[in-house]
Amino acid sequence: METLCLPVNENSLKEAARLLREGRVVAFPTETVYGLGADALNPAAVKAIFDAKERPADNPLIVHVAQSEQLQGLCLVTETARRLMDAFWPGPLTMLLMKTDRVPDITTASLPSVAVRCPRHPAALALLRACALPVAAPSANRSGRPSPTCAAHVYEDMRGRIPLILDGGSCQVGVESTVVDLTGDAPCILRPGAVTAQDIARVAGQCTVASSVMRPLKEGEKAPSPGMRHRHYAPRAKMTVFVGDDKKTAAEIIARYDRAENAVILSHASALPLFGGRRVFSLGDTPMEGAHLLFRLLRDMDEMGASLILAQGWKAEGEALAVMNRMARAAAFDIVNL
Ligand code: TXA
Ligand code: MG
């Protein structure tokens, strides 16, 4: 199959909407990462997403809508969900709600809940409006690769597998949406993103974070979200993350770099001069900048054939939790606190 990559405009949006209505798969930009979309209520269309991604069938998809009214008949919108939608939609917040029979089992991997989100990227919203369908969309990477934050990354992974990629430039947030489970007594974050636990608690009164967000699952432990069971965000290189004062982490990174062969460093922007003469790339100075750059850097490091990645991280709390959750997984939880 030939894979077209078209800039977002009226014509390409029309073509993308037509393909979606025909049950085909289309990649499109969102404010978090690129998504691989298909009609969420058409089991054959959803199956084509799983095939293109080589995604395990037990990992459910997020259903994207242009506005909350589109959820009618698909899931039970609770009072808390309504308040969170008013506060954070359109935006990078995905909510788990109890589903109705209209949502096919393949979309939710037979779970009783469905994940729903209204993205705020103008191209995503325009596409959702044009096709007038709820669109199931996981991140547009092949399973086990970092999520794509630009159209070229989607093309790398999806070339020959899907008919169309809409190119809307680079994604602003850079890591996937916050996933919050609203089916229990209190909102519980299963995957941290740009909307933080503090943000949610301010609106919902309370919010917890699943403990497995910053540690590996124990043997036999049930994953709160199926996505957490699967290997994720995995660069080919071995990776270690260092957290602490810039000078201390830089000293430890330099010692390891100089002993290793083919190592690379991901450093805070302000710490770059500390690594003089070594192969070093900037993660920016804030956790938000780090989130925006991380997935691109992980792909670049693979491309360069690096065998060891030594990265400066941030304390895993507040708005740094999202980027540190991804860095921890990329590093198979090899985190050194200094
Ligand atoms: O930012 C995002 O959320 C992007 C863009 C495209 O919207 N999408 C995305 O989808 O990251 P995906 O499929 O890569 O990640 C969805 C996560 C997975 O970890 C999945 O297991 C979890 O959400 N999930 C989806 N439905 C669920 C459900 N019913 N119960 C528990 N976890 C669920
Ligand atoms: Mg994904």
Side-chain angles (χ1 to χ4, degrees), residues 53 139-148 153 156-157 176 231-236 295 298-299 302-303:
K53 264 186 83 89
S139 49
N141 52 290
R142 253 181 296 139
S143 248
R145 301 263 293 148
S147 293
H153 294 167
E156 255 170 48
D157 282 16
E176 307 87 343
R231 191 168 145 79
H232 239 196
Y233 320 119
R236 281 188 275 271
F295 287 152
L298 292 180
R299 281 183 184 250
D302 272 351
E303 195 104 309

Coordinates of all heavy atoms in Angstrom, one line a residue, residues 53 139-148 153 156-157 176 231-236 295 298-299 302-303:
K53 N -0.2 -1.4 13.8 CA 0.7 -1.2 14.9 C 1.4 -2.4 15.4 O 2.3 -2.3 16.2 CB -0.1 -0.6 16.1 CG -0.1 0.9 16.2 CD -0.9 1.3 17.5 CE 0.0 1.2 18.7 NZ 0.8 2.4 19.0
S139 N -1.4 5.9 19.9 CA -0.3 6.6 19.3 C 0.2 5.9 18.0 O 0.1 4.7 17.9 CB 0.9 6.6 20.3 OG 1.1 5.3 20.9
A140 N 0.7 6.7 17.1 CA 0.8 6.2 15.7 C 2.2 5.5 15.5 O 2.7 5.5 14.4 CB 0.6 7.3 14.7
N141 N 2.8 5.0 16.6 CA 4.1 4.2 16.4 C 3.8 2.7 16.3 O 2.7 2.3 16.6 CB 4.9 4.4 17.7 CG 4.0 4.1 19.0 OD1 3.1 4.9 19.3 ND2 4.3 3.0 19.6
R142 N 4.8 2.0 15.8 CA 4.7 0.5 15.9 C 4.9 0.2 17.4 O 5.6 0.8 18.1 CB 5.7 -0.2 15.0 CG 5.1 -0.8 13.8 CD 6.1 -1.5 12.9 NE 7.0 -0.6 12.4 CZ 8.4 -0.8 12.3 NH1 8.9 -1.9 12.7 NH2 9.1 0.1 11.8
S143 N 4.2 -0.9 17.8 CA 4.2 -1.3 19.2 C 5.7 -1.4 19.7 O 6.5 -2.0 19.0 CB 3.6 -2.6 19.4 OG 2.4 -2.5 20.1
G144 N 6.0 -0.8 20.9 CA 7.3 -0.9 21.5 C 8.3 0.2 21.0 O 9.4 0.4 21.6
R145 N 7.9 1.1 20.1 CA 8.7 2.2 19.6 C 8.2 3.5 20.4 O 7.1 3.5 20.8 CB 8.5 2.4 18.1 CG 9.0 1.2 17.3 CD 10.4 1.4 16.8 NE 10.5 2.4 15.8 CZ 11.6 3.2 15.7 NH1 12.7 3.0 16.5 NH2 11.7 4.1 14.8
P146 N 9.0 4.5 20.5 CA 8.6 5.7 21.1 C 7.4 6.3 20.3 O 7.4 6.2 19.1 CB 9.8 6.7 21.1 CG 11.0 5.8 20.8 CD 10.5 4.6 20.1
S147 N 6.5 7.0 21.0 CA 5.3 7.6 20.3 C 5.9 8.7 19.3 O 6.8 9.4 19.7 CB 4.4 8.3 21.3 OG 3.8 7.3 22.1
P148 N 5.2 8.8 18.1 CA 5.7 9.8 17.2 C 5.3 11.2 17.5 O 4.1 11.4 17.8 CB 5.1 9.3 15.9 CG 3.9 8.5 16.3 CD 4.1 8.0 17.7
H153 N 8.2 10.7 11.9 CA 8.3 9.5 12.7 C 7.2 8.5 12.5 O 7.4 7.3 12.5 CB 8.3 9.9 14.2 CG 9.5 10.7 14.7 ND1 9.5 11.4 15.8 CD2 10.6 10.9 14.0 CE1 10.7 12.0 15.9 NE2 11.4 11.7 14.9
E156 N 8.2 6.7 9.3 CA 9.1 5.6 9.6 C 8.5 4.3 10.0 O 8.8 3.3 9.6 CB 10.0 6.1 10.8 CG 11.4 6.6 10.5 CD 12.0 7.2 11.8 OE1 11.9 6.6 12.9 OE2 12.5 8.3 11.7
D157 N 7.5 4.5 10.9 CA 6.9 3.3 11.5 C 5.7 2.7 10.6 O 5.4 1.5 10.7 CB 6.3 3.6 12.9 CG 7.4 3.7 13.9 OD1 8.6 3.7 13.6 OD2 7.1 3.6 15.1
E176 N 2.1 11.4 25.8 CA 0.7 11.1 25.6 C -0.1 11.7 26.8 O 0.4 12.1 27.8 CB 0.5 9.6 25.6 CG 1.4 8.9 24.6 CD 2.7 8.5 25.1 OE1 3.2 9.1 26.1 OE2 3.4 7.6 24.5
R231 N 6.1 -3.7 27.2 CA 7.3 -2.9 27.1 C 7.1 -1.6 26.3 O 6.4 -1.7 25.3 CB 8.4 -3.7 26.4 CG 9.8 -3.1 26.5 CD 10.8 -4.2 26.1 NE 12.0 -3.6 25.4 CZ 12.9 -2.9 26.0 NH1 13.0 -2.8 27.3 NH2 13.9 -2.4 25.4
H232 N 7.6 -0.5 26.7 CA 7.2 0.8 26.2 C 8.4 1.6 26.0 O 9.4 1.5 26.7 CB 6.3 1.5 27.2 CG 4.9 1.8 26.6 ND1 4.1 2.6 27.2 CD2 4.3 1.3 25.5 CE1 3.0 2.7 26.5 NE2 3.1 1.9 25.5
Y233 N 8.3 2.6 25.1 CA 9.3 3.7 25.0 C 10.7 3.1 25.1 O 11.5 3.6 25.8 CB 9.1 4.7 26.1 CG 7.7 5.0 26.5 CD1 7.1 4.7 27.7 CD2 6.9 5.5 25.5 CE1 5.8 5.0 27.9 CE2 5.5 5.8 25.7 CZ 5.0 5.5 27.0 OH 3.7 5.8 27.2
A234 N 11.0 2.1 24.3 CA 12.2 1.4 24.5 C 13.3 1.7 23.4 O 13.1 1.3 22.3 CB 12.0 -0.1 24.5
P235 N 14.3 2.5 23.8 CA 15.4 2.7 22.8 C 16.2 1.4 22.7 O 16.1 0.6 23.7 CB 16.2 3.9 23.4 CG 15.9 3.8 24.9 CD 14.6 3.2 25.1
R236 N 17.0 1.3 21.7 CA 17.8 0.1 21.6 C 19.0 0.1 22.6 O 19.4 -0.9 23.0 CB 18.3 -0.1 20.1 CG 17.2 -0.7 19.2 CD 17.8 -1.1 17.9 NE 17.8 0.1 16.9 CZ 16.7 0.4 16.2 NH1 15.6 -0.3 16.2 NH2 16.8 1.5 15.4
F295 N 10.9 12.0 23.1 CA 10.7 10.9 22.2 C 11.5 11.1 20.9 O 12.0 10.1 20.3 CB 9.2 10.7 21.8 CG 8.4 10.1 23.0 CD1 7.1 10.5 23.1 CD2 9.0 9.3 23.9 CE1 6.3 9.9 24.2 CE2 8.2 8.7 24.9 CZ 6.9 9.0 25.1
L298 N 15.0 10.0 21.7 CA 15.2 8.6 21.8 C 15.3 7.9 20.4 O 16.1 7.0 20.2 CB 14.0 7.9 22.6 CG 14.0 8.3 24.1 CD1 12.8 7.6 24.7 CD2 15.3 7.9 24.8
R299 N 14.5 8.4 19.5 CA 14.6 7.9 18.1 C 15.9 8.3 17.5 O 16.6 7.5 16.8 CB 13.5 8.5 17.2 CG 12.1 7.8 17.5 CD 11.0 8.3 16.6 NE 9.8 7.6 16.9 CZ 9.2 6.8 16.1 NH1 9.7 6.5 14.9 NH2 8.1 6.2 16.5
D302 N 18.7 6.0 18.7 CA 18.7 4.8 18.0 C 19.3 4.9 16.6 O 20.1 4.0 16.2 CB 17.2 4.3 17.8 CG 16.7 3.5 19.0 OD1 17.6 3.2 19.9 OD2 15.5 3.2 19.0
E303 N 19.0 6.0 15.9 CA 19.5 6.2 14.6 C 21.0 6.3 14.6 O 21.7 5.8 13.7 CB 18.9 7.5 14.1 CG 19.1 7.7 12.6 CD 17.7 7.5 11.9 OE1 17.1 6.4 12.1 OE2 17.3 8.4 11.2

